[in-house]
Amino acid sequence: MTRMLSNRHEWSYPLFFLLLLLLLLHLHHGSTTPNSVAVAVVDYPCKPPHHSHYPFCNTSLPIPQRATFLTSLLTLPDKISLLSDNASALPTLGIPHYQWWSESLHGLATNGPGVTFSGLVNSATLFPQVIVSAASFNRTLWSLIAAAVAVEARAMYNVGQAGLTFWAPNINIFRDPRWGRGQETPGEDPMVASAYAVEFVKGFQGGGAMIGNEVLFGEKSFLGDGDDDDDDRLMVSACCKHFTAYDLEMWHQFSRYNFNAVVSKQDLEDTYQPPFRGCIQKGKASCLMCSYNEVNGVPACADADLLGMARNKWGFKGYITSDCDAVATVFEYQKYVKSEEDAVADVLKAGVDINCGTYMLRHTESAIKQGKVKEEDLDRALFNLFSVQMRLGLFDGDPSRGPFGKLGPQDVCTPQHLALALEAARQGIVLLKNDKKFLPLNRNIDASLAVIGPMAVSDKLGGGYSGIPCSSKSLYDGLGEFCKRISYAPGCHNMDLVSAIADSSFSPVILVLTGGGPLDVSFAERNTQIGSILWVGYPGEAGGKALAEIIFGEVNPAGRLPVTWYPESFTSVPMTDMSMRADPSRGYPGRTYRFYTGGRVYGFGHGLSYNDYSYKFLSAPTKLSLSKTIKRISRKSLLSQISKEDYEVDYVRVSELQSCSSLSFSVHISVTNLGELDGSHAVLLFSRWPKVLEGSPKEQLVGFSRVHTTSESTETSILVDPCEHLSFADEQGEMILPLGNHILSLGDVEHTLTIEMY
């Protein structure tokens, strides 16, 4: 069929299948049994009686003091041996080797060497791919998934099958449908990506609450109150990646190893950086991964200004890792420096603490001998690494006696986790088309079902960065639980199959799209014989059941697209153009719903339901005065400008405002379900400006809420921070808050908010 992915990554398979409705019937439910209880012993530092007496093992001391003392005991060869993801053992100190690289994007994954399914645990809960979970627009769901994955991660660590440092989430902006890894991200909107990052990191690093043998996610943390950031304990460690402006694997002669992302200060500030800023400032991530690419001529991992901003401006406290072999690319692909030693020196001085790969192991000693690296550069890196390990409890002695010591195989693939995976798939599936309310199907009519398409019988429903699921069933299997008479044909890959079946069928067909991103299916949208279109993405191990529940009306679909679906013509836009804003002078249409000016197959936020909904603004301010929040010096300057007849002030710089939080307000909303089915619903609140300033978005998502609706009206509130949600960046990268009328909209209902300076 027509596809957007001329730059398809090796793990992105945007396939489809058809459901040809002939007749139908009803379902039966399956079940999954969790692993039985088992115990294993892992090696650990500070083991008595010979290695527990060191001060770095003394849990009563502050972590910075412990980390500094441990560093002081190491020889130079010791220090160098720890600069790889596969850190060497230090036998004289009783410290075993440690693998930093484990993956947990949407469940424990096999991609990183730190996770293995060969042992007491042979599977883990496979949740929907991130782009599908993002379509739920449900912060609580994101946090619960992260907490569940964290519990399974700790459980697998306790039996020696995982590390404690995981390189997730991927929060790069999904700006181009040809990027195969967009499936790993929360989509194209910087506010949504930031919100996802915050919820994932907080849920993952804090976990749930253990009461007896029951895990109560989100009730409270396993850990302390975290008032002391330096001693803030971690259940597991999350890593925000890839910092920054990374979203190209291979396109023509460009690869991720040699691509220089030329990004304006404007786009960097209000599109590419907000997810990372939120991940660090609000999520308190303990790891940051720098990307392969250059940003404005400087390799990200060698950019002291970029990495320094994260630590010094955003307050990042954790370790910085390179993407795998990204240190090598500084010399070998990008030719940014003249030698291997220069590459090592540049990334260490920029702030990188650990190299995924062996480049530092092989070239750091030589760099020191040449005077390009000082031993204190290594000490700084090791301090950051040891601090995170100590926050994880790795130097607290026997982990079985720690707060997570009882977690084991019995806590993996639990009924609670499997139920959560099913709920996540239900909430993320998007109904794109439903002519004449063709769906849901009536289960009570004796009928048969024909399922056609190569993806229908596959149980590989996780997409990239997947592990081994607890009990994965195909989409065909899920439908078979509802229909006794069901048949399958493999069909083929191309668009003609869809149209041929639709044209020859005596009744409408249902088109189900899998895959990690947008496709041009405008032909199917126009075809009256295709009654309904559903996007399931990569829905995880429970996706088959979730799809069947939606098709047969047990669940009301409520997912919304977190990314714009462009027409095929978008492939003429150079993938290397990082600009967000449209530029008519060169025929550039811009990117994402905020700035794109071309035609769409489906827009950001599109998603149908079996019901219609109406909205009402219950309460929201009509005016907002900035007079009390403008800094005194700025106020005099602005007032003098207003007094000039030929000058009009259109905006205020956010940096000129003090106590921005005092401007925040809640928008109280009523949602009425006008249909017969109960179900959840994603409420999206947008803003736009009738008076367009140069570079302003066409519209901007300012908040969202997931609510459960019945025949009665349901109320919800969305908190709006004008400094964050109603602002955008000017050409100098300064965030500005436009004055005048801001139009808040819920569907076709609008509310006007006037922002005044006095």
Side-chain angles (χ1 to χ4, degrees):
M1 67 178 293
T2 303
R3 70 178 58 193
M4 296 292 296
L5 296 176
S6 60
N7 176 239
R8 189 180 72 186
H9 197 269
E10 63 268 23
W11 50 57
S12 180
Y13 305 100
L15 304 177
F16 62 88
F17 72 87
L18 291 170
L19 298 177
L20 175 59
L21 177 63
L22 303 176
L23 297 165
L24 47 131
L25 229 153
H26 57 279
L27 92 152
H28 72 273
H29 290 282
S31 62
T32 302
T33 303
N35 292 321
S36 59
V37 177
V39 178
V41 179
V42 296
D43 200 6
Y44 58 90
C46 299
K47 185 182 295 184
H50 303 296
H51 298 106
S52 58
H53 64 282
Y54 298 109
F56 63 78
C57 298
N58 186 346
T59 59
S60 67
L61 296 176
I63 282 179
Q65 186 176 337
R66 296 169 67 193
T68 300
F69 188 84
L70 174 53
T71 304
S72 72
L73 297 179
L74 305 182
T75 65
L76 180 58
D78 288 339
K79 295 176 181 179
I80 294 174
S81 74
L82 300 177
L83 298 179
S84 167
D85 63 286
N86 190 18
S88 299
L90 302 174
T92 58
L93 295 175
I95 299 175
H97 89 279
Y98 181 75
Q99 175 55 255
W100 288 86
W101 180 9
S102 293
E103 297 284 359
S104 62
L105 188 71
H106 54 114
L108 278 294
T110 56
N111 301 71
V115 175
T116 174
F117 288 98
S118 176
L120 293 173
V121 178
N122 55 25
S123 62
T125 308
L126 182 62
F127 293 94
Q129 183 57 281
V130 176
I131 195 71
V132 180
S133 294
S136 71
F137 286 88
N138 188 340
R139 288 181 174 86
T140 302
L141 179 69
W142 301 338
S143 180
L144 292 176
I145 291 173
V149 176
V151 168
E152 296 197 355
R154 261 289 176 170
M156 289 184 69
Y157 166 78
N158 286 348
V159 295
Q161 291 181 237
L164 290 176
T165 45
F166 292 83
W167 292 350
N170 180 344
I171 53 173
N172 294 118
I173 295 298
F174 191 0
R175 71 178 178 100
D176 195 297
R178 292 164 288 184
W179 182 38
R181 297 187 66 176
Q183 59 174 285
E184 304 171 25
T185 76
E188 69 182 32
D189 183 76
M191 193 274 282
V192 173
S194 179
Y196 179 87
V198 171
E199 297 301 331
F200 182 94
V201 172
K202 291 173 68 175
F204 190 72
Q205 293 191 159
M210 280 293 278
I211 301 178
N213 293 322
E214 185 178 5
V215 180
L216 302 178
F217 300 107
E219 294 291 329
K220 58 182 180 180
S221 175
F222 270 117
L223 311 169
D225 56 18
D227 289 336
D228 183 355
D229 285 341
D230 290 332
D231 201 36
D232 188 14
R233 299 302 179 116
L234 301 167
M235 182 177 182
V236 280
S237 169
C239 191
C240 297
K241 65 183 186 185
H242 312 81
F243 192 53
T244 187
Y246 172 74
D247 55 13
L248 183 150
E249 307 301 311
M250 180 70 71
W251 189 76
H252 297 315
Q253 74 271 30
F254 300 97
S255 77
R256 60 184 181 178
Y257 305 117
N258 64 15
F259 176 56
N260 176 27
V262 179
V263 189
S264 69
K265 292 180 180 178
Q266 187 174 41
D267 287 335
L268 199 63
E269 181 63 26
D270 72 4
T271 297
Y272 292 104
Q273 298 295 58
F276 292 97
R277 185 165 58 240
C279 194
I280 290 169
Q281 292 184 329
K282 297 181 180 179
K284 306 294 184 183
S286 54
C287 169
L288 182 65
M289 177 184 285
C290 55
S291 56
Y292 292 112
N293 56 284
E294 295 178 79
V295 180
N296 296 325
V298 183
C301 291
D303 193 333
D305 292 335
L306 182 68
L307 302 185
M309 177 176 61
R311 284 205 186 275
N312 304 323
K313 186 176 180 180
W314 297 347
F316 173 64
K317 294 183 178 179
Y319 74 98
I320 297 177
T321 179
S322 75
D323 205 337
C324 294
D325 292 323
V327 177
T329 64
V330 173
F331 171 64
E332 295 178 359
Y333 284 87
Q334 295 159 343
K335 305 300 181 183
Y336 183 72
V337 293
K338 296 181 179 180
S339 69
E340 294 93 339
E341 291 81 7
D342 288 330
V344 169
D346 277 18
V347 299
L348 279 169
K349 291 176 181 177
V352 172
D353 300 312
I354 192 173
N355 167 216
C356 179
T358 61
Y359 214 68
M360 284 189 183
L361 295 182
R362 292 183 282 125
H363 302 295
T364 299
E365 183 178 4
S366 176
I368 289 176
K369 289 180 179 178
Q370 294 178 26
K372 296 178 177 178
V373 172
K374 296 181 180 180
E375 192 167 350
E376 47 261 43
D377 295 325
L378 275 59
D379 292 347
R380 181 224 71 228
L382 293 172
F383 174 86
N384 292 331
L385 295 169
F386 290 147
S387 295
V388 170
Q389 287 183 318
M390 289 174 179
R391 291 170 65 190
L392 288 162
L394 275 171
F395 290 86
D396 291 354
D398 187 352
S400 68
R401 300 193 178 194
F404 321 107
K406 293 182 180 180
L407 291 174
Q410 71 278 3
D411 299 296
V412 182
C413 292
T414 63
Q416 296 95 328
H417 293 181
L418 298 180
L420 183 61
L422 174 60
E423 182 60 25
R426 289 167 175 161
Q427 293 196 21
I429 292 175
V430 183
L431 178 62
L432 299 173
K433 175 185 179 181
N434 197 27
D435 279 359
K436 300 178 181 178
K437 296 189 175 180
F438 182 61
L439 291 179
L441 304 181
N442 188 340
R443 292 178 52 201
N444 297 319
I445 298 176
D446 186 21
S448 64
L449 198 67
V451 182
I452 305 170
M455 192 66 177
V457 293
S458 173
D459 62 358
K460 308 298 183 184
L461 298 177
Y465 285 84
S466 292
I468 299 176
C470 308
S471 179
S472 188
K473 295 183 179 179
S474 69
L475 301 176
Y476 176 84
D477 292 333
L479 292 164
E481 293 186 7
F482 282 75
C483 188
K484 292 181 179 179
R485 288 192 287 163
I486 183 170
S487 59
Y488 166 72
C492 58
H493 298 278
N494 55 67
M495 186 170 62
D496 292 340
L497 171 68
V498 180
S499 298
I501 292 175
D503 293 341
S504 62
S505 173
F506 64 84
S507 61
V509 301
I510 304 164
L511 175 61
V512 178
L513 303 169
T514 66
L519 298 170
D520 186 346
V521 292
S522 52
F523 75 97
E525 177 66 28
R526 294 190 299 264
N527 193 326
T528 57
Q529 276 297 99
I530 298 176
S532 300
I533 304 176
L534 287 151
W535 176 75
V536 301
Y538 291 116
E541 68 176 86
K545 183 174 183 179
L547 174 64
E549 289 178 335
I550 288 174
I551 286 176
F552 287 95
E554 288 209 348
V555 171
N556 198 348
R560 293 192 172 206
L561 294 178
V563 63
T564 302
W565 283 36
Y566 302 95
E568 181 73 16
S569 59
F570 190 83
T571 57
S572 64
V573 176
M575 195 175 177
T576 50
D577 195 321
M578 303 296 290
S579 301
M580 286 292 151
R581 272 85 176 165
D583 185 353
S585 67
R586 57 188 179 92
Y588 183 69
R591 296 179 185 271
T592 79
Y593 79 98
R594 296 165 70 220
F595 304 105
Y596 177 63
T597 56
R600 296 166 174 78
V601 179
Y602 297 113
F604 174 90
H606 175 74
L608 305 177
S609 168
Y610 295 152
N611 297 330
D612 292 324
Y613 293 89
S614 66
Y615 302 109
K616 183 179 180 181
F617 284 95
L618 296 178
S619 67
T622 56
K623 289 187 179 181
L624 197 65
S625 173
L626 305 181
S627 61
K628 294 183 179 180
T629 59
I630 297 176
K631 295 177 182 177
R632 183 175 300 176
I633 297 177
S634 300
R635 185 183 299 117
K636 291 181 179 180
S637 174
L638 290 169
L639 289 174
S640 67
Q641 292 173 2
I642 290 178
S643 65
K644 300 177 181 178
E645 295 181 359
D646 60 344
Y647 192 92
E648 181 180 357
V649 177
D650 294 322
Y651 62 86
V652 173
R653 289 185 176 86
V654 171
S655 61
E656 295 175 326
L657 301 175
Q658 56 190 358
S659 303
C660 267
S661 59
S662 66
L663 296 174
S664 296
F665 59 88
S666 289
V667 177
H668 298 282
I669 299 163
S670 172
V671 183
T672 302
N673 185 338
L674 303 177
E676 298 178 355
L677 295 174
D678 294 350
S680 62
H681 179 67
V683 179
L684 307 186
L685 178 65
F686 290 90
S687 73
R688 58 181 171 83
W689 302 273
K691 182 178 181 180
V692 178
L693 294 175
E694 182 68 26
S696 65
K698 296 168 57 182
E699 63 175 340
Q700 185 158 293
L701 184 69
V702 298
F704 56 91
S705 175
R706 185 90 176 194
V707 296
H708 183 79
T709 64
T710 63
S711 57
E712 302 292 330
S713 295
T714 304
E715 295 184 8
T716 188
S717 295
I718 294 176
L719 183 66
V720 178
D721 179 349
C723 292
E724 179 179 356
H725 300 138
L726 302 181
S727 65
F728 67 93
D730 64 13
E731 291 183 349
Q732 288 71 46
E734 286 265 356
M735 296 302 294
I736 59 175
L737 178 60
L739 300 176
N741 292 336
H742 291 249
I743 309 300
L744 303 179
S745 63
L746 293 162
D748 57 359
V749 180
E750 295 183 346
H751 173 84
T752 301
L753 167 67
T754 304
I755 299 182
E756 302 173 333
M757 198 176 67
Y758 59 91

